[in-house]
Amino acid sequence: RDLKPANIFLHKDRATGYASSKVLDFGVSKLTVDDGVATHTGSLLGSPRYMSPEQAISATAADARSDIWSIGVVLFEALTGRFPHDGDSSNNLIIAIATKPPKSIQSVAPQLPRSLQMLVDDCLRPTDHRIQSVSLLLDRMLAILATEDLRDVPLARPTVAKGKSRARPDGLAFRTTPGQIPGLATTMLEAHGLGALAR
C-alpha cells in the first residue's frame, strides 16, 4: 500500500552486470495487517501521488489490487513524465484520485505502442475492472516485450544540461550522460536479468 519510485531500487549484480528491481520499505504493510490501526480508524496510509481511489477513500478497502494501481501510476510517470491525476495540494490530489477518472496515457503519449497504453490504462481502472493480480500484469508485460520493439521508446527524463544533475522534489537527483539512457525495452529486460535479449 505504499508502492512508489522511492521504494523501488535497482540492484546491480556484480558478477553479471544485470540489474534487478527490489521493492523495499514495507512499513505500511506491517502497520495495516493486524495491529488494528487501519481497521479501527480507517487511517489514510501511503503516498497520495501513488494511492489508489479505494485507498484514498478508506485504507481498509485497499487490497492487492491497490498495488496494481500504484504500478500503473509508476509506469505512467516513467513513460510520460506526468501523472494520471493532478492537484495543487495533497488534499486536492486525494479528492481528484477518489472522484475523477485518470487521464488516458494515450492522450499524453500517443506515440507509445497501443498494447503498452492499454496495459497502463488497465492498471488504472476501477477495482473490479483493473488487472487483478501481479502475475497477470507480469504476463502482459512479458508479452509486450516479446511482440513490440520498444528499444527506441525513451523513458521520460528531466531536461538538464550535459553532465549536470538536478534535484527532484523528493530529494533524489537525476544525472544524464549522452548515450547512457537506454530505451524502455532494454531497461525492463535488464531489470529482470534478461539484458542480453535487449542487445
Side-chain angles (χ1 to χ4, degrees):
R1 285 183 258 196
D2 197 22
L3 191 60
K4 57 187 177 183
N7 287 349
I8 303 172
F9 288 73
L10 292 180
H11 169 72
K12 188 172 185 179
D13 187 293
R14 292 181 180 178
T16 65
Y18 293 139
S20 58
S21 53
K22 304 287 185 181
V23 178
L24 305 181
D25 189 357
F26 289 87
V28 170
S29 297
K30 292 175 183 175
L31 281 172
T32 58
V33 175
D34 286 317
D35 67 348
V37 173
T39 54
H40 288 161
T41 68
S43 299
L44 188 65
L45 298 171
S47 302
R49 178 62 71 186
Y50 304 92
M51 190 175 289
S52 67
E54 63 271 20
Q55 188 177 358
I57 294 169
S58 171
T60 59
D63 57 23
R65 292 171 295 182
S66 186
D67 287 336
I68 301 291
W69 173 283
S70 300
I71 292 171
V73 178
V74 170
L75 289 171
F76 194 109
E77 178 187 8
L79 292 165
T80 71
R82 297 172 62 182
F83 296 96
H85 287 94
D86 297 311
D88 55 9
S89 68
S90 293
N91 286 342
N92 287 343
L93 178 60
I94 291 170
I95 291 169
I97 291 170
T99 62
K100 297 179 181 179
K103 297 184 191 81
S104 169
I105 194 170
Q106 184 176 14
S107 67
V108 180
Q111 76 282 1
L112 295 175
R114 185 64 188 135
S115 59
L116 184 56
Q117 293 171 342
M118 291 175 63
L119 174 76
V120 176
D121 283 344
D122 287 348
C123 287
L124 300 176
R125 296 197 184 282
T127 314
D128 290 339
H129 301 284
R130 195 176 302 161
I131 296 172
Q132 296 292 293
S133 73
V134 174
S135 295
L136 292 172
L137 175 60
L138 178 60
D139 287 345
R140 285 185 59 178
M141 284 183 168
L142 293 176
I144 291 171
L145 290 173
T147 57
E148 299 280 2
D149 185 359
L150 304 177
R151 288 173 294 182
D152 294 327
V153 177
L155 293 172
R157 292 289 190 272
T159 302
V160 294
K162 178 180 176 181
K164 301 291 184 180
S165 62
R166 187 182 79 177
R168 303 194 322 182
D170 58 10
L172 300 178
F174 286 110
R175 186 170 184 84
T176 59
T177 304
Q180 291 190 350
I181 299 177
L184 177 64
T186 302
T187 302
M188 292 181 72
L189 286 168
E190 288 188 348
H192 289 281
L194 303 171
L197 296 177
R199 298 188 179 94

